[in-house]
Amino acid sequence: MEYKPISVTELNMYVKEKFQQDEFLNNVLVKGEISNFKHHYTGHMYFTLKDENSLIKCVMFKTYTANLNFIPKDGMKVVILGTVSVFERDGVYQIYAKAMKQDGIGDLYAEYERLKAKLENEGLFDASHKKKIPIMPKCIGVLTSNTGAVIRDIINVSTRRNPNVYIKLLPVPVQGKDAAPKIVSAISLMNEKKLADVIIVARGGGSLEDLWPFNEEIVARAIYDSEIPIISAVGHETDFTIADFVADLRAPTPSAAAELAVANIDDVKERLHIYNNRYKTALKKKVELMRLRFEKCMKSRAFSNPLQNINEQYMLLDKKVKGIENAIKIKLKDSRTKMVKEIARIDALSPLKTLIRGYSITELNGKIVKSSKSLKANDQIILKFIDGENRAKIL
Amino acid sequence: MGKEDINFEKAMENLEQIANELEKGDLDLDSSVAKFEEGMKLSKKCSEILENAEKKITILLQKDGELVEEDFENDEQ
């Protein structure tokens, strides 16, 4: 009997054909955990799918990766639809993945969307309900795990911004079944005892399942009901949890939460300094203004020569007095002229003038005798001459 | 804290208001001086709050049903 060996290539081709003839292997749905994930620069993805006992190589070509709605990572649980076939060159069989989705995530995601819509409808996300974060909280409450990077980041950033910061850590589990109720009671304890002026609820990055406590309704409601303002900082910048929507402020990361909660002490000091300067400048300006007004006042005539007005009045008075004096003088002069005229006139009519010329006046019993008939014999009369009088008797 | 317990937000608002009133310049001199003193006092009070604050990093623990505040040991510090 003669040996008739086949080549390795022929063998692998044979096995490959056997695989291809199997309908089940042509369209297989398989679940497992991703490991050894490599996203090749050509756009193809190479990784291993494994469970506790076994593993299989996988490849997903660029044509299919475009349809993924998530970025696969090591440790992720996925379900893959694909074909199992043989890679002839290496003599290995592997999954040629056509589609892939996160295992179990579908349900969680639907629940997330449902709860988000419900709470949004109820108004739990309303901006009007959001409380203001105090500028200078005396005490910052932090709800997170007491181990790990999150609390360390928060403490580091906080103390860098304000070396005298007061932080109270209330440790809570941030993943697993117990996390949500513990977070809820921590929030109510903080409120009940008024332990802080602002609360940071924080957790590092993780899968949707890891972050799940922050998507639970009881946590959302506890945040909504909190009297103390709450800053949420859950996961990475791209992770949005329900807690983020309800919180008074959402920080993209725990470090960012610390920046939002703790004022930079130098900035605050600078602000106070600016106020002091503003006050000084304003008061200086005021005093300068008052000084200018005062100087202007003092330069006015009333203040620079206070007697001038009085002197002017004096002069006016003098003028008036002089006027009156003149008027009196003129009046007096007029009167005198008039009097002289009158006297001259009277003088012309005076009987004395007649007497001078040699006439005399006869008087009987003090009355001037104007007719001879008014006299009879023995009447005693007085004859008045210019230089005197004589008594006489009628014959 | 204690009697120095003033609301920082309120104080900052007041500081701003005082600055605006002073800068408007229509106060008389006496009122301006009074406002100036009020502002300087308030800003000093705020500075004191900043200066007098004490660094504290604590952890709240439940011990026998009691809430206890202890210094939080931070490995990195």
Side-chain angles (χ1 to χ4, degrees), chain B residues 11-25:
Chain B
M12 286 309 248
E13 268 171 37
N14 285 349
L15 285 171
E16 178 65 32
Q17 202 190 334
I18 289 168
N20 287 337
E21 281 175 38
L22 264 174
E23 282 167 355
K24 239 167 100 192

Side-chain angles (χ1 to χ4, degrees), chain A residues 134-136 138 152 156 163-169 171 269 271-272 275-276 278-280 286, chain B residues 1 5 8-9 15-16 20 23 25 27 43 50-51 53-56 58-60 69 74 76-77:
Chain A
I135 321 174
M136 264 324 273
K138 283 191 278 290
R152 241 184 6 246
N156 286 344
N164 299 335
V165 75
Y166 183 9
I167 293 175
K168 273 182 199 160
L169 168 65
K269 280 182 183 166
R271 268 178 77 183
L272 289 174
Y275 278 126
N276 285 353
R278 277 174 76 183
Y279 297 157
K280 282 178 193 159
K286 181 85 206 169
Chain B
M1 288 182 246
D5 199 3
F8 213 88
E9 272 73 36
L15 285 171
E16 178 65 32
N20 287 337
E23 282 167 355
L27 295 172
S43 102
L50 301 184
E51 301 298 338
E54 206 183 320
K55 178 184 171 181
K56 264 198 259 179
T58 63
I59 181 164
L60 299 170
E69 185 173 359
N74 193 21
E76 298 252 314
Q77 309 229 326

Side-chain angles (χ1 to χ4, degrees), chain A residues 134 136-141 194-199 228-229:
Chain A
M136 264 324 273
K138 283 191 278 290
C139 178
I140 295 152
K194 300 204 171 12
L195 293 170
D197 303 314
V198 61
I199 296 173
I228 304 172

